[in-house]
Amino acid sequence: MTPPTAPLPLPSLGDLLSSARVVSIPMRVKFRGVLHREALLLRGIAGWGEFCPFLEYDDAESAPWLASAVEAAWAGFPASVRDSVPVNATVPAVGPEAVEGVLARFGPVGAVKVKVAERGQDLRDDVARVAEVRRLLPDAGIKVDANGGWEVAEALMALDALAPSGLQYVEQPVADIPGLRAVRLELRRRGSGILVAADESVRRQEDPLLVAREDAADVLVVKAAPLGGVRRALDIIRRAGLPAVVSSALDTSVGIRSGVALAAALPDLPFACGLATVSLMEGDVTDASLVPEGGHLPVRDVDVREERLLRFAADGDRRSWWLERLARTHAVLAARDWRSAAGDAE
C-alpha cells in the first residue's frame, strides 16, 4: 500500500484499542533477562505496527515506541534504496558450548554481535564466548555489545582481552556519554582499530544528537521504535553525520519490518544490521518470518496470521496490563506534538 503523502492525525484511543492484539512469544534462550517477549500489535490503514517498549520503561519513554507503531500501521514507510539488508547473528550471554547452536539458527551470516558484560559473569566468560564465535566463523565481522555494563577502566581492560579475536566495534561499552568519549579517545591514543558505537546514548537521551556533538562515538546504533519511527530515525542519522547500523528491540516480524524499512532507506549501510533477532524466538505472528536468507533480510511486508495471534495470545491479566499501558501512553503522545515524536519531517 502506498503511504499517504499528507500527515495523519494521531488515531484515537478507540481506533487503537479496536485492533489491539497482545502476544507473548517464548524465547529460545534468555535475552535481556526475559524468557517470553510480550508485544502489542496494532492494525491501521497501511498495515500492522508493533508497540513493545521494555517492561521497565515508563509512559513517557514508551511514547516514541507508540509513535513508531502508529507510523507503521497508519502511514507506512519511506521509499527503499535497496531490496535486502545485510544482518548479523546475535549471540546472547551463553557459555561457549552453546554458541554453535545459537549461530545455527541464523544460517550463513557474515557478521555476529556478541553480548558481553552480563551480570553474574566475568571477563573470562566474555573472552571464551567471543573466541568461540571467532573459531566457528574465522572470516566474520564481530562486534560486542556491553549494554553500558562496564566502567571506563573495565571497558579498556576488557577490550584489550577481546582484541585478539578481532572486533569491528564495541557497542555502548559504558553507560554515559563522557565515558564513551573517554573510551573512544583512549582507544585512538593506543592505535586500536576498535570503533565505539553508541546505542542507549542515542535512544535513551532527551537529545539523541548529543553523542555526536560530544565526539563520543564512531558509529550510531539506531532502533526505529525508541526513536519514534523510521522517518525520525532517518532525520537523526542525517543530522548526526555518523555511520549508522540499524538494530532491533527484540521484536516480532512486525517490529522487525520497521527496522528493515529504516535500513533499506539509508543512503549508506556500512555494517550488517542487528535485525535477525526473530531467530531467537520460538514463534512469530506470521507464517513467513523475517529471518535471514543468505545473511540478508528481504525488504517486504509481513502477513500477520490470525491463528498465530491466537496461539501466542497473552493471558487475560497481561492483556489488560498492555491495554492500560497503551491508554496511558496514548495520553502522553496526544499531549505532545506526536508528529514530532514520530518524525514527521516530510
Side-chain angles (χ1 to χ4, degrees):
M1 181 178 295
T2 302
T5 56
L8 289 173
L10 177 65
S12 70
L13 178 59
D15 286 340
L16 300 188
L17 290 171
S18 68
S19 69
R21 307 293 292 271
V22 182
V23 295
S24 178
I25 309 289
M27 303 295 300
R28 296 179 187 271
V29 293
K30 184 180 289 188
F31 196 90
R32 281 189 59 102
V34 301
L35 288 171
H36 283 77
R37 181 63 166 132
E38 296 177 340
L40 186 151
L41 304 182
L42 301 167
R43 187 169 193 174
I45 60 174
W48 287 89
E50 182 163 333
F51 175 61
C52 61
F54 294 113
L55 302 183
E56 68 269 22
Y57 289 7
D58 64 22
D59 299 337
E61 190 170 3
S62 299
W65 298 66
L66 182 54
S68 179
V70 168
E71 177 194 49
W74 272 266
F77 302 116
S80 300
V81 299
R82 53 185 61 84
D83 296 326
S84 67
V85 172
V87 293
N88 58 249
T90 298
V91 175
V94 297
E97 72 285 350
V99 167
E100 186 170 11
V102 171
L103 290 175
R105 300 179 190 125
F106 293 88
V109 292
V112 182
K113 181 164 80 170
V114 186
K115 293 290 185 177
V116 294
E118 182 83 354
R119 288 183 180 178
Q121 298 185 4
D122 61 28
L123 181 55
R124 289 170 298 181
D125 298 306
D126 295 337
V127 170
R129 186 181 312 115
V130 174
E132 181 64 3
V133 172
R134 176 56 72 208
R135 185 186 73 81
L136 293 167
L137 297 174
D139 299 321
I142 296 180
K143 34 219 179 161
V144 296
D145 182 6
N147 288 117
W150 292 318
E151 300 296 331
V152 171
E154 290 177 311
L156 293 167
M157 181 176 66
L159 293 172
D160 279 345
L162 294 167
S165 290
L167 303 181
Q168 289 182 328
Y169 63 71
V170 55
E171 183 174 327
Q172 201 70 43
V174 297
D176 61 14
I177 290 175
L180 282 181
R181 177 180 167 84
V183 171
R184 179 176 179 270
L185 292 179
E186 179 60 19
L187 289 175
R188 299 292 81 75
R189 190 190 69 79
R190 296 180 181 184
S192 171
I194 301 173
L195 302 177
V196 172
D199 177 9
E200 286 89 345
S201 290
V202 178
R203 64 182 169 89
R204 300 195 75 174
Q205 290 287 323
E206 287 293 325
D207 179 0
L209 295 171
L210 181 61
V211 70
R213 289 200 304 274
E214 292 295 316
D215 243 1
D218 303 291
V219 180
L220 299 184
V221 179
V222 292
K223 297 177 172 69
L227 291 178
V230 173
R231 290 168 177 81
R232 183 164 189 258
L234 287 170
D235 184 56
I236 289 168
I237 295 166
R238 177 186 61 79
R239 288 189 286 153
L242 290 175
V245 59
V246 180
S247 188
S248 79
L250 196 58
D251 312 320
T252 75
S253 285
V254 171
I256 294 296
R257 175 67 180 97
S258 289
V260 169
L262 172 55
L266 283 172
D268 300 301
L269 197 60
F271 299 102
C273 295
L275 293 170
T277 49
V278 172
S279 300
L280 297 173
M281 295 180 172
E282 287 283 5
D284 199 4
V285 296
T286 177
D287 293 335
S289 294
L290 280 173
V291 293
E293 300 170 7
H296 288 71
L297 290 182
V299 180
R300 62 168 173 81
D301 290 331
V302 173
D303 181 22
V304 174
R305 308 295 293 176
E306 176 66 21
E307 56 268 30
R308 295 271 182 162
L309 294 174
L310 292 173
R311 182 189 310 176
F312 297 110
D315 66 31
D317 287 345
R318 296 308 300 161
R319 181 176 185 275
S320 296
W321 187 92
W322 276 95
L323 293 181
E324 290 168 4
R325 188 185 204 188
L326 174 63
R328 296 194 312 269
T329 308
H330 181 272
V332 172
L333 205 54
R336 63 173 72 165
D337 182 354
W338 94 271
R339 292 181 184 130
S340 175
D344 179 24
E346 297 188 332

